[in-house]
């Protein structure tokens, strides 16, 4: 993540440089460079804005006998727990663990509330079963820590603190296309969710990860980043190859590996963002523009995550990106109609499987026109929301292949 730079105030005497050993023009160039870097960080969906960033402490004193391991400032990622509360055994009485029934599996600490005070993420396993409960406490060194959030009965579940001070959970969706019909011994964790502290609601609330390919969730993205750091899947460091992989996927465009692609902007080794144009290899095919950013704004080896796919002829105006949907939902936008039909609307679940579909008809018969389409869908996960994708595509009149399309990241309930 880019560091925040604090530039010195402009001196009153124009002959006096704030850098005594530099020429004024050199100093001005430095200011421009740092300002551009700052703007680049703000432009990334993975940095700045509403996301948590390291900030100076507010002077909140350490209480309850916290050791020096307590974080004096808001830092990203897991932090060392105070010595007095780092043992799972310490939390057994607090979570009311019952011997032989439940046990504390793990304790993690971090600045989950966006303040210098640490919170504890406590994972509780049910013995002889598959359920896992997740609890978050604040005031963790007080005699009676306050629970601020819990999520119960995650099947073969897990929870971690992300590199962005959110809680990431993983579990088995027993009714998903991946696990349906399998024996429990062959289940795979396939449902990943993310929860972020809300000052307004005074608890953790589910949010959507801005990216959607090659990873749909932050849990998967952080695992991918760790694998790439170890030398696996180096193509995820190449913006053009990531765009081509998306276009080739049968879940999206099915254009094959031979679709031509070129950089429109960014995409360099230390660039934060990239835009790649990919052209369909099929007769009557058009293009898509794939926008992506480095995971966590890391320009030193961060993998590329696609955040937007746009079309020269199609657009979705509602729902907005990262919105929470309920069935039925109304989708509006614009597209080129042919004999009244613009194309197809598909809703994809957390495995990129289709859970809803509708034909999109324009307000007028031919040419560029607006549309408003009702979409009904059914998901296999009823215990909460899951991350998914809304895809609008237009067919080629030559062979029926997907000519172009646009994608919007959403939360499905």
């Amino acid at each position: 993540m880019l560091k925040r730079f604090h530039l010195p105030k402009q001196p009153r005497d124009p002959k006096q440089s704030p850098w005594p050993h530099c020429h004024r023009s050199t100093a001005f160039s430095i200011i421009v460079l740092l300002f551009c870097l700052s703007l680049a960080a703000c432009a990334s969906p993975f940095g700045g804005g509403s996301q948590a960033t390291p900030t100076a402490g507010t002077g909140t004193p350490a209480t309850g006998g916290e050791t020096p391991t307590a974080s004096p400032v808001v830092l990203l990622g897991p932090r060392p727990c105070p010595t007095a509360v780092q043992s799972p055994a310490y939390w057994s009485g607090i979570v009311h663990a019952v011997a032989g029934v439940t046990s504390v599996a793990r304790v993690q600490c971090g600045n989950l509330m966006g303040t210098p005070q640490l919170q504890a993420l406590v994972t509780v396993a049910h013995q002889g079963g598959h359920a896992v409960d997740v609890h978050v406490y604040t005031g963790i060194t007080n005699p009676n820590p306050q629970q601020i959030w819990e999520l119960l009965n995650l099947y073969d579940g897990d929870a971690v603190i992300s590199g962005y001070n959110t809680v990431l959970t993983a579990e088995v969706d027993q009714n998903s296309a991946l696990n349906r019909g399998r024996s429990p011994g062959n289940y795979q964790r396939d449902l990943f969710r993310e929860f972020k502290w809300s000052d307004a609601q005074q608890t953790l609330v589910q949010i959507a990860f801005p990216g959607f390919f090659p990873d749909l969730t932050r849990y998967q993205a952080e695992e991918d980043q760790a694998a790439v750091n170890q030398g696996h899947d180096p193509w995820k460091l190449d913006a053009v190859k990531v765009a081509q992989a998306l276009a080739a996927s049968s879940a999206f465009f099915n254009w094959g590996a031979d679709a031509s692609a070129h950089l429109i902007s960014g995409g360099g080794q230390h660039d934060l963002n990239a835009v790649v144009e990919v052209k369909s290899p099929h007769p009557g095919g058009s293009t898509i523009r794939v926008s992506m950013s480095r995971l966590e704004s890391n320009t030193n080896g961060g993998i590329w995550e696609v955040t937007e796919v746009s079309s020269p002829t199609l657009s979705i105006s509602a729902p907005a990106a990262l919105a929470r949907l309920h069935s039925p939902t109304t989708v509006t936008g614009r597209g080129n109609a042919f004999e009244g039909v613009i194309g197809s609307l598909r809703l994809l679940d957390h495995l990129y499987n289709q859970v809803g579909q509708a034909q999109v008809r324009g307000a007028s018969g031919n040419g560029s026109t607006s549309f408003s389409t009702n979409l009904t869908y059914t998901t296999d996960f009823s215990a909460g929301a899951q991350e998914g994708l809304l895809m609008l595509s237009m067919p080629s009149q030559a062979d029926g292949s997907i000519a172009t399309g646009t994608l919007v990241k959403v939360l499905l309930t």
Side-chain angles (χ1 to χ4, degrees), residues 141-170:
T141 57
N142 295 336
N144 296 299
Q146 176 190 356
Q147 180 173 283
I148 57 175
W149 181 77
E150 68 176 5
L151 190 63
L152 306 178
N153 297 317
L154 279 65
Y155 195 99
D156 283 347
D158 188 25
V160 297
I161 295 174
S162 77
Y164 234 51
N165 288 359
T166 55
V167 173
L168 306 180
T169 65

Side-chain angles (χ1 to χ4, degrees), residues 145-224:
Q146 176 190 356
Q147 180 173 283
I148 57 175
W149 181 77
E150 68 176 5
L151 190 63
L152 306 178
N153 297 317
L154 279 65
Y155 195 99
D156 283 347
D158 188 25
V160 297
I161 295 174
S162 77
Y164 234 51
N165 288 359
T166 55
V167 173
L168 306 180
T169 65
E171 62 190 294
V172 169
D173 178 3
Q174 300 175 69
N175 297 315
S176 72
L178 179 63
N179 291 310
R180 191 184 308 121
R182 289 188 174 191
S183 63
N186 293 319
Y187 281 159
Q188 294 185 36
R189 285 178 181 165
D190 61 338
L191 182 69
F192 308 96
R193 292 185 280 172
E194 181 174 7
F195 300 86
K196 187 178 188 298
W197 176 256
S198 166
D199 286 333
Q201 300 184 42
Q202 288 295 291
T203 189
L204 295 169
V205 298
Q206 188 172 355
I207 62 172
F209 178 60
F212 53 80
F213 185 86
D215 304 295
L216 190 67
T217 66
R218 194 182 301 275
Y219 191 103
Q220 294 164 299
E222 292 196 352
E223 285 195 333
D224 258 1

Side-chain angles (χ1 to χ4, degrees), residues 22-269:
C22 297
H23 190 274
R24 283 179 299 168
S25 62
T26 303
F28 178 78
S29 299
I30 294 174
I31 292 175
V32 172
L33 174 61
L34 298 183
F35 178 70
C36 292
L37 289 172
S38 176
L39 288 180
C42 294
S44 169
F46 299 110
S50 61
Q51 300 284 8
T53 54
T55 57
T58 59
T60 303
T63 59
E66 287 189 0
T67 70
T69 59
S71 175
V73 295
V74 177
L75 298 175
L76 296 178
R79 309 300 304 159
C81 292
T83 303
V85 302
Q86 65 184 3
S87 168
Y90 173 84
W91 291 93
S92 293
I94 296 171
V95 301
H96 306 295
V98 178
V101 179
T102 58
S103 63
V104 176
R106 185 169 54 189
V107 180
Q108 304 166 69
C109 292
N111 299 122
L112 296 175
M113 295 175 68
T115 67
Q117 184 183 23
L118 288 173
Q119 285 73 50
L121 173 65
V122 183
T123 307
V124 178
H126 290 244
Q127 304 302 303
H130 296 274
V132 170
D133 300 334
V134 184
H135 307 265
V136 174
Y137 291 87
T138 193
I140 59 177
T141 57
N142 295 336
N144 296 299
Q146 176 190 356
Q147 180 173 283
I148 57 175
W149 181 77
E150 68 176 5
L151 190 63
L152 306 178
N153 297 317
L154 279 65
Y155 195 99
D156 283 347
D158 188 25
V160 297
I161 295 174
S162 77
Y164 234 51
N165 288 359
T166 55
V167 173
L168 306 180
T169 65
E171 62 190 294
V172 169
D173 178 3
Q174 300 175 69
N175 297 315
S176 72
L178 179 63
N179 291 310
R180 191 184 308 121
R182 289 188 174 191
S183 63
N186 293 319
Y187 281 159
Q188 294 185 36
R189 285 178 181 165
D190 61 338
L191 182 69
F192 308 96
R193 292 185 280 172
E194 181 174 7
F195 300 86
K196 187 178 188 298
W197 176 256
S198 166
D199 286 333
Q201 300 184 42
Q202 288 295 291
T203 189
L204 295 169
V205 298
Q206 188 172 355
I207 62 172
F209 178 60
F212 53 80
F213 185 86
D215 304 295
L216 190 67
T217 66
R218 194 182 301 275
Y219 191 103
Q220 294 164 299
E222 292 196 352
E223 285 195 333
D224 258 1
Q225 182 69 69
V228 170
N229 291 346
Q230 296 173 8
H232 304 289
D233 296 329
W235 64 271
K236 294 174 183 177
L237 298 171
D238 187 315
V240 171
K241 290 181 179 178
V242 169
Q244 287 177 313
L246 179 143
S249 171
S250 59
F252 305 124
F253 296 92
N254 201 26
W255 284 356
D258 58 342
S260 63
H262 67 279
L263 279 167
I264 300 297
S265 64
Q269 182 178 358

